[in-house]
Amino acid sequence: MLLELVQRARKVLLTPARFLPTGERRAEAPGPPSELLGGWCRRCRRGGPGAGMLLPPLLPLLLLLPPVLAEGHRAATLRLGLRDSPRAEVSPAFLSLTLDASLARDPRYVTLLSNSKLRALATALSPGFLRFGGTETDFLIFDPNKDSTSEEKILWEFQAQQEACGSRPAFATVEKVLLAQWPSQEKLILAEQNRKKHKNTTITKNTLDILYSFANCSGFHLIFGLNALLRKGGLQWDSSNAQALLDYCASQRYNISWELGNEPNSFRKKSGIHIDGFQLGQDFIHLRQLLNNYALYQHAKLYGPDVGQPRKHTQRLLRSFLKSGGKVIDSVTWHHYYVNGQSATRGDFLSPEVLDSFATAIYEVLEIVGQTVPDKKVWLGETSSAYGGGAPRLSNTYVAGFMWLDKLGLSARQGIDVVMRQVFFGAGTYHLVDANFEPLPDYWLSLLYKKLVGTKVLQVSLAGANKRKLRVYLHCTSSLNPKYREGDVTLFALNLYNVTQHLELPDYLSSKHVDQYLLLPHGKENILSRSIELNGRVLRMLDDETLPELMEKPLGPGRLLGLPAFSYGFYVIKNAKAIACI
């Protein structure tokens, strides 16, 4: 009630002075309740001099105050850079995906990628890159002569008989058996990761076929990570297996980009082999020369070195690599996780200090790149909330969205060109889609981001709240969204306060209409829920191939933007006429 009264008062006090004929009843004029204006209104009611004129002595003071909310809270005032040039501009494929190579630890499970529901969910997030990589990359051996698993053969026979990207209902029985066995396979994968004990796995032609088909049919460009731990006596990279794989992919006309190795900073820990940055740079030059031998891959992109967190040893390796082989890569890739999945807590996911640590890591990487190969774009080649497969009962719930949405906002603001989310589907709990092919909260968050957030990053700040706990980001609205037009902007915000926060648009935007897309957890688990609501409506697929419409909630002009405790959401400001977005 108090909030409504104050908003009504401000609305009147911010309009030009009004005059009413002497003696006309005050109630007929729109204005603040008399209890808000105290004794000043008594003169108006008596019809004396100045009756009807809104000129209270405290008007200047009232205009300077932000809106007063219930319990003494004040709205935070937004400052938007709508007349400025973009702060940054990112790739149209900014939000991209990964599949972990551990999915091929037993190649039978790669056939799960043929599931029509999984493909529909992937397609909705396209276009983008799909990186097939991870620790297991450096333990995969391609054998063009080996028989595929029976599951891969069955699937590929169905594919040969039907439309290339059609559904495979006849494979459902095999898929059901694989899904029943997946939990034990997942335990094996995670145990190997935790022990850092890895075994070589052989993949075949059909493994590559199924992987490429999934990416291609879902609208993604495949990036394949080659094994960097195959070494000759002098520690030079042995490219013979990569050549066999390239021969096959070229024969099938597979349009693929390439990487070599995963997190070389931990090669010794994983395999006992130490490769320094200089040698790795030479290995990338060798791979570039190898690619140049194929007409199809002469212009194929090469990304690397996919180093881990930028700790001191890793920084030295990255610097050395870029000096040695940086000239042959198209973008510099590195990985980031906030916390250890085995020890992470709910508090970590809501901690401004933990979220801020990412900005420091970005700065350290960009500084090294700027000093060595300043013309190269920088990508987050693999990233999620917690390493080691994610944090159980956290990374797959609503609370994980704070890390994910803030990472997307900070990455774009700081100049990261592409962010590859680990992982779309696979082992652990940091996946976007679970083992039952059900989309998790971070999936829906990613989908909204794709639909609403454009590539141009704008300036935004706020006054009246702690910016580390009320975090705001601003972009041009996606030009691909038919609901919106040039000049519209998308604000997204995260509230780490334990009370509702309100955001007030600048006066010059007070007449604009705003579409709200507020995401809240669904169910009694609250922020640990695996289900999510958009503007009060639970998000779930309508059937195995149909996603729901993402419905906005229109807000009238002059409304404060309310963000409940521990929540996040998007606000499209229509007809904002941002110069950078036109």
Side-chain angles (χ1 to χ4, degrees):
M1 181 65 181
L2 177 59
L3 172 59
E4 182 183 352
L5 293 177
V6 173
Q7 285 180 317
R8 285 168 58 196
R10 283 177 59 84
K11 184 175 180 180
V12 172
L13 293 174
L14 289 171
T15 56
R18 295 190 179 96
F19 295 87
L20 297 175
T22 302
E24 188 170 342
R25 287 178 55 199
R26 181 73 212 159
E28 294 176 3
S34 60
E35 63 267 26
L36 282 182
L37 300 181
W40 170 77
C41 267
R42 293 186 197 119
R43 227 169 25 133
C44 305
R45 289 198 296 269
R46 288 196 302 266
M53 188 185 299
L54 299 185
L55 291 174
L58 294 179
L59 176 58
L61 180 60
L62 283 169
L63 290 179
L64 290 173
L65 291 175
V68 181
L69 307 176
E71 300 176 12
H73 295 291
R74 297 185 183 279
T77 304
L78 288 163
R79 296 168 180 160
L80 312 181
L82 303 187
R83 300 291 173 263
D84 303 328
S85 300
R87 174 170 178 157
E89 187 166 1
V90 297
S91 166
F94 174 72
L95 197 168
S96 288
L97 306 176
T98 74
L99 285 172
D100 197 85
S102 62
L103 191 63
R105 177 69 180 80
D106 181 341
R108 296 183 305 143
Y109 293 99
V110 175
T111 62
L112 293 175
L113 298 177
S114 68
N115 180 270
S116 59
K117 187 174 183 180
L118 195 65
R119 289 197 174 192
L121 287 165
T123 301
L125 293 178
S126 67
F129 296 105
L130 180 71
R131 180 219 187 208
F132 182 75
T135 300
E136 200 67 26
T137 284
D138 295 306
F139 299 91
L140 292 183
I141 310 293
F142 175 67
D143 186 343
N145 302 311
K146 183 180 177 179
D147 265 358
S148 302
T149 63
S150 59
E151 291 85 354
E152 290 175 293
K153 282 183 181 177
I154 292 169
L155 177 62
W156 209 243
E157 285 170 7
F158 285 146
Q159 172 123 346
Q161 299 164 11
Q162 300 171 6
E163 182 187 348
C165 293
S167 59
R168 309 280 180 266
F171 191 69
T173 304
V174 180
E175 183 182 279
K176 191 174 180 180
V177 173
L178 287 172
L179 288 174
Q181 297 171 350
W182 173 250
S184 58
Q185 175 65 11
E186 186 177 36
K187 285 180 182 176
L188 173 68
I189 291 169
L190 295 175
E192 286 186 350
Q193 285 182 359
N194 291 332
R195 293 198 310 266
K196 296 183 171 54
K197 299 289 183 183
H198 304 277
K199 299 177 181 177
N200 285 343
T201 297
T202 301
I203 58 173
T204 64
K205 293 176 180 178
N206 278 165
T207 313
L208 294 173
D209 295 334
I210 296 166
L211 182 63
Y212 186 79
S213 172
F214 174 75
N216 191 48
C217 292
S218 302
F220 283 82
H221 178 77
L222 182 63
I223 300 175
F224 190 91
L226 296 166
N227 187 334
L229 284 178
L230 296 172
R231 295 279 149 179
K232 298 176 181 176
L235 288 184
Q236 287 185 326
W237 179 51
D238 183 346
S239 62
S240 57
N241 194 252
Q243 187 167 345
L245 191 149
L246 287 167
D247 286 346
Y248 178 69
C249 290
S251 73
Q252 300 301 303
R253 308 296 298 170
Y254 289 162
N255 178 23
I256 301 176
S257 294
W258 306 93
E259 294 179 347
L260 178 59
N262 180 78
E263 297 186 1
N265 47 291
S266 60
F267 276 174
R268 181 177 289 175
K269 195 180 294 182
K270 288 185 293 189
S271 65
I273 298 174
H274 172 66
I275 309 296
D276 62 27
F278 175 82
Q279 180 57 54
L280 189 65
Q282 297 303 299
D283 299 334
F284 268 73
I285 292 172
H286 180 176
L287 174 55
R288 179 73 265 174
Q289 292 169 344
L290 185 61
L291 291 171
N292 290 343
N293 293 334
Y294 298 84
L296 183 61
Y297 299 132
Q298 283 180 356
H299 302 291
K301 303 296 185 183
L302 176 60
Y303 305 112
D306 282 282
V307 293
Q309 315 275 97
R311 300 185 179 97
K312 293 303 179 186
H313 158 68
T314 303
Q315 289 185 34
R316 288 194 297 271
L317 187 149
L318 177 60
R319 189 182 300 274
S320 175
F321 165 81
L322 293 175
K323 288 180 178 178
S324 172
K327 59 182 177 290
V328 301
I329 60 173
D330 292 279
S331 294
V332 180
T333 54
W334 65 291
H335 300 174
H336 179 270
Y337 296 87
Y338 292 98
V339 287
N340 183 339
Q342 292 182 305
S343 59
T345 66
R346 181 172 71 168
D348 291 331
F349 283 73
L350 299 170
S351 166
E353 290 75 25
V354 171
L355 297 184
D356 288 344
S357 67
F358 176 53
T360 303
I362 294 176
Y363 173 80
E364 291 169 345
V365 171
L366 291 181
E367 184 178 42
I368 293 170
V369 174
Q371 293 169 352
T372 51
V373 284
D375 58 322
K376 302 293 182 183
K377 300 280 190 182
V378 178
W379 290 12
L380 261 178
E382 177 190 310
T383 192
S384 194
S385 54
Y387 60 85
R393 296 173 296 280
L394 291 169
S395 292
N396 56 354
T397 71
Y398 177 88
V399 77
F402 291 97
M403 285 183 171
W404 182 222
L405 186 56
D406 197 66
K407 177 165 283 181
L408 291 169
L410 264 178
S411 294
R413 179 184 288 176
Q414 299 297 101
I416 300 296
D417 194 47
V418 170
V419 175
M420 294 188 176
R421 170 58 189 252
Q422 176 85 348
V423 45
F424 176 64
F425 172 81
T429 56
Y430 53 23
H431 41 216
L432 296 182
V433 180
D434 70 15
N436 298 312
F437 306 121
E438 292 297 333
L440 294 164
D442 271 6
Y443 174 86
W444 297 112
L445 178 55
S446 301
L447 184 62
L448 263 177
Y449 189 97
K450 280 272 190 175
K451 301 297 184 187
L452 299 176
V453 182
T455 58
K456 291 180 180 178
V457 187
L458 306 178
Q459 297 278 3
V460 62
S461 61
L462 55 80
N466 183 344
K467 66 179 182 181
R468 300 178 69 207
K469 296 183 73 174
L470 187 57
R471 305 168 83 93
V472 293
Y473 300 94
L474 187 70
H475 285 235
C476 296
T477 301
S478 173
S479 59
L480 301 178
N481 194 319
K483 287 183 182 179
Y484 303 112
R485 60 186 184 184
E486 288 183 345
D488 294 353
V489 296
T490 299
L491 174 82
F492 53 103
L494 306 86
N495 180 14
L496 296 173
Y497 282 95
N498 62 2
V499 295
T500 298
Q501 295 294 314
H502 293 83
L503 296 167
E504 183 186 28
L505 293 174
D507 288 343
Y508 62 86
L509 292 177
S510 61
S511 64
K512 305 299 182 183
H513 290 263
V514 177
D515 282 350
Q516 172 185 278
Y517 296 84
L518 179 62
L519 291 167
L520 294 175
H522 175 72
K524 62 186 179 194
E525 298 92 349
N526 204 343
I527 61 173
L528 299 184
S529 174
R530 294 174 61 176
S531 183
I532 196 168
E533 299 176 2
L534 172 62
N535 294 327
R537 177 185 171 198
V538 181
L539 290 175
R540 56 172 64 99
M541 292 190 75
L542 305 182
D543 57 47
D544 281 358
E545 297 186 14
T546 311
L547 278 76
E549 186 177 357
L550 302 176
M551 293 296 295
E552 71 279 10
K553 179 182 178 181
L555 303 179
R559 288 281 302 276
L560 294 177
L561 312 180
L563 203 56
F566 301 122
S567 70
Y568 40 81
F570 300 81
Y571 301 90
V572 178
I573 305 167
K574 300 165 77 171
N575 198 27
K577 298 180 180 177
I579 290 174
C581 309
I582 297 173

